Structure formats: structure tokens, C-alpha cells
Amino acid sequence: LRQDVALVARTDYVTDHADILVDLAEVVVADGHAEEANDSLDEALGLYEAKGNVAAAEGVRVLLGVP
């Protein structure tokens, strides 16, 4: 997934980039790396907000436990 993040980061596909960051966060948190997962989720949240994807941004906020 990290390779996917690197590839999509070079494109204009902002939502896809954020989606892959959320996927990465789910994998790394399952592997016991919550801090790294939070970093990915923070980045995804910023991308969703920049794109105006309110629903996806709210989903990430829930995962992060922030209002």
C-alpha cells in the first residue's frame, strides 16, 4: 500500500489518494502502529477537506475520534 500511496500522490486523484491513506491506516493499526495510522488519517482528512468531500472527511474524523 505504501507504493500505491506514492504512486497516487503524483496524480490529481485527490480522493483516491485519501482513500488509499485510509486503507493504509487500517493495515498499520492492525499491525500495532497506531501513531503511523493516525498520521495517515490526518493526511487523508486534509485531502478530503481540500476536495470538499464532507462525508469522507466525517468518516475519518470518526476514526480519529475527533469532532
Side-chain angles (χ1 to χ4, degrees):
L1 281 173
R2 286 183 179 90
Q3 291 174 337
D4 295 336
V5 170
L7 287 173
V8 78
R10 294 181 253 170
T11 71
D12 293 331
Y13 300 114
V14 176
T15 299
D16 290 337
H17 184 182
D19 291 345
I20 292 171
L21 285 166
V22 172
D23 291 343
L24 177 61
E26 291 173 357
V27 170
V28 297
V29 80
D31 197 33
H33 301 283
E35 186 173 318
E36 184 180 349
N38 284 342
D39 292 344
S40 293
L41 290 172
D42 285 336
E43 186 176 351
L45 178 59
L47 291 170
Y48 285 137
E49 289 176 337
K51 187 67 176 173
N53 190 335
V54 177
E58 182 59 29
V60 172
R61 282 189 201 94
V62 169
L63 293 173
L64 286 168
V66 296

